[in-house]
Amino acid sequence: MTAPNGRPADPTRHDTVAAVVRQWHTVHPGLDTGPMEIIGRVNRCAALLQQAEDAPLRRAGLSRPEFDLLGALRRTGHELTPGDLARETFSSGAAVTKRLKQLTERGLVERRGDTRDRRVAHVRLTDAGRELVDGILPEQLEYETAVLSVLTPEARDELAARLGELLGRLEGSLGMLRA
Amino acid sequence: MTAPNGRPADPTRHDTVAAVVRQWHTVHPGLDTGPMEIIGRVNRCAALLQQAEDAPLRRAGLSRPEFDLLGALRRTGHELTPGDLARETFSSGAAVTKRLKQLTERGLVERRGDTRDRRVAHVRLTDAGRELVDGILPEQLEYETAVLSVLTPEARDELAARLGELLGRLEGSLGMLRA
DNA sequence: AGCAGGTGTTTTATCTGTAAACGACTGCGT
DNA sequence: ACGCAGTCGTTTACAGATAAAACACCTGCT
């Protein structure tokens, strides 16, 4: 089924999702649990990884959504409007408004009104904000690298490629639905 | 639209995470963005899949955490205490208390006090609760299958195996940390 | 010019989850 | 028997997210 041949160890047997799937099979023997083995694992991995990721951020006094917002400003290199930030961080406009308020009070971002259209605001990182992001990011990536070191480099590449395929097609097809 | 022509499209180049990684590279050329390509994609996939999954549940008037709780009762086949449910659904005890209150009011679960230890309660599905879960689950799996049909069966198996490997090792090593 | 309709942002009400404190209870050691 | 440490579940207070509506402003049409 899964392992073609050669390796006897089936790694999918040792995680909690596999246990859940086995439980379902004993209760509903005919059920096609294929989707659960992917979706359940993606969800569980995301939960564990996020929890791990939060540690270095908390140390810097930032929540993950806040860091995402600052990161969006840092990586684009130019000013963004609140609407841009909402799209970029996949969150609602209301959430962005709240975060901007807090981050502005902490002196990490600055706002500037648009001269042409007085509805829109332009947000940019302050020097302190940029330094904070640049200070955290390497530490964050180093930490993530450590977490992922449970996999071999080949397994990592393979996984990244497969996830990229899924994500690409998912964003393609689900994105169409929304439009 | 996607691939110019001739070469098969590299799917990892078409997702939003790849775009983000490219942005980081232009700003911090030396950065090792390897971890982002996995963690970022896992998070994004989880967000999209959860959003897709919620549609059929909403139709039945359940939130995902509520369905997880009912599902835990259904698949284990026997009664569980609130503490068991918290562990089984990876949520806090307080959250379980709240959900049990609502689900009890809706007549989907029943509580029974332990005779031996009066602190603990035993929770079980009512007939209505079991029928609800059994009615939703196939529909849910069918929907998930449709969403995942963007991948070939081989890609699905491969992805499930890789995720199982990551999850197994993650739960192994991070689980140690917590203990 | 004036108004209808659309867009960008903020506000409000509401809901959910978590952390911390709490009350109830058991069971062990003395 | 008594008390104390530890466990289980619930309650409370609070931070955070979301959806709906309000608000301010622009643009195109007449």
Side-chain angles (χ1 to χ4, degrees):
Chain A
M1 188 173 75
T2 46
N5 46 16
R7 293 236 193 115
D10 178 3
T12 69
R13 221 177 325 174
H14 303 326
D15 64 0
T16 53
V17 171
V20 167
V21 166
R22 270 197 303 277
Q23 282 184 318
W24 277 119
H25 269 150
T26 69
V27 180
H28 280 306
L31 218 56
D32 172 22
T33 51
M36 285 170 64
E37 310 216 10
I38 292 181
I39 296 186
R41 286 194 178 105
V42 168
N43 285 331
R44 185 91 187 95
C45 282
L48 285 175
L49 290 173
Q50 285 194 17
Q51 179 181 329
E53 262 191 313
D54 285 346
L57 289 180
R58 289 275 178 224
R59 229 175 295 152
L62 286 176
S63 71
R64 219 176 110 60
E66 286 169 342
F67 181 73
D68 280 352
L69 195 159
L70 296 178
L73 286 169
R74 182 66 181 107
R75 67 171 198 263
T76 59
H78 50 76
E79 295 180 333
L80 294 174
T81 70
D84 291 336
L85 285 167
R87 274 181 293 278
E88 206 69 38
T89 63
F90 303 105
S91 54
S92 70
V96 170
T97 296
K98 271 192 179 179
R99 274 167 222 150
L100 284 178
K101 192 174 174 185
Q102 294 190 8
L103 294 172
T104 307
E105 285 169 1
R106 284 194 250 170
L108 298 175
V109 301
E110 281 174 344
R111 322 182 46 138
R112 172 179 72 78
D114 189 314
T115 49
R116 201 182 255 302
D117 184 340
R118 266 174 299 187
R119 288 171 303 181
V120 323
H122 296 269
V123 182
R124 69 172 164 234
L125 287 175
T126 62
D127 289 347
R130 197 176 58 261
E131 283 165 18
L132 182 61
V133 173
D134 286 354
I136 291 177
L137 190 63
E139 182 188 352
Q140 180 81 0
L141 286 172
E142 194 178 335
Y143 189 83
E144 293 177 2
T145 302
V147 169
L148 292 181
S149 68
V150 296
L151 295 180
T152 67
E154 297 78 33
R156 285 199 289 270
D157 290 347
E158 177 73 26
L159 182 55
R162 289 293 179 209
L163 284 171
E165 186 181 354
L166 173 61
L167 183 52
R169 296 190 197 276
L170 230 44
E171 288 178 332
S173 64
L174 293 182
M176 294 310 180
L177 279 182
R178 200 179 300 173
Chain B
M1 180 165 74
T2 48
N5 52 8
R7 287 193 353 200
D10 176 1
T12 70
R13 214 140 270 164
H14 301 331
D15 64 0
T16 53
V17 172
V20 167
V21 166
R22 271 199 302 279
Q23 283 183 318
W24 277 119
H25 269 150
T26 69
V27 180
H28 281 307
L31 218 56
D32 173 21
T33 52
M36 285 170 64
E37 310 215 9
I38 293 181
I39 296 185
R41 285 193 178 107
V42 168
N43 285 331
R44 184 91 187 95
C45 283
L48 285 174
L49 290 173
Q50 285 195 15
Q51 178 183 329
E53 261 192 314
D54 285 345
L57 289 179
R58 291 274 178 225
R59 228 175 296 152
L62 286 176
S63 71
R64 220 174 102 65
E66 285 169 341
F67 181 74
D68 280 353
L69 195 159
L70 296 178
L73 286 170
R74 181 67 180 106
R75 68 171 197 262
T76 59
H78 50 76
E79 295 180 333
L80 294 175
T81 69
D84 291 336
L85 286 168
R87 273 182 295 279
E88 207 68 38
T89 63
F90 303 105
S91 53
S92 70
V96 170
T97 296
K98 277 191 180 177
R99 292 197 265 269
L100 283 178
K101 191 174 176 186
Q102 294 190 5
L103 293 172
T104 307
E105 286 169 0
R106 284 194 251 170
L108 299 175
V109 301
E110 281 174 344
R111 324 182 43 138
R112 172 180 72 79
D114 189 314
T115 49
R116 216 182 152 59
D117 185 338
R118 267 175 296 187
R119 287 171 303 182
V120 322
H122 296 268
V123 182
R124 69 171 166 236
L125 286 176
T126 62
D127 289 347
R130 188 160 28 68
E131 284 165 18
L132 182 61
V133 172
D134 286 353
I136 291 178
L137 190 63
E139 182 188 352
Q140 179 81 359
L141 286 172
E142 195 178 334
Y143 189 83
E144 294 177 1
T145 302
V147 169
L148 291 181
S149 68
V150 296
L151 295 180
T152 67
E154 298 76 32
R156 286 198 288 270
D157 289 348
E158 178 73 27
L159 182 55
R162 289 292 178 211
L163 284 171
E165 186 182 354
L166 174 60
L167 183 52
R169 296 190 198 276
L170 229 45
E171 288 178 331
S173 64
L174 294 183
M176 295 308 180
L177 278 183
R178 201 179 299 173

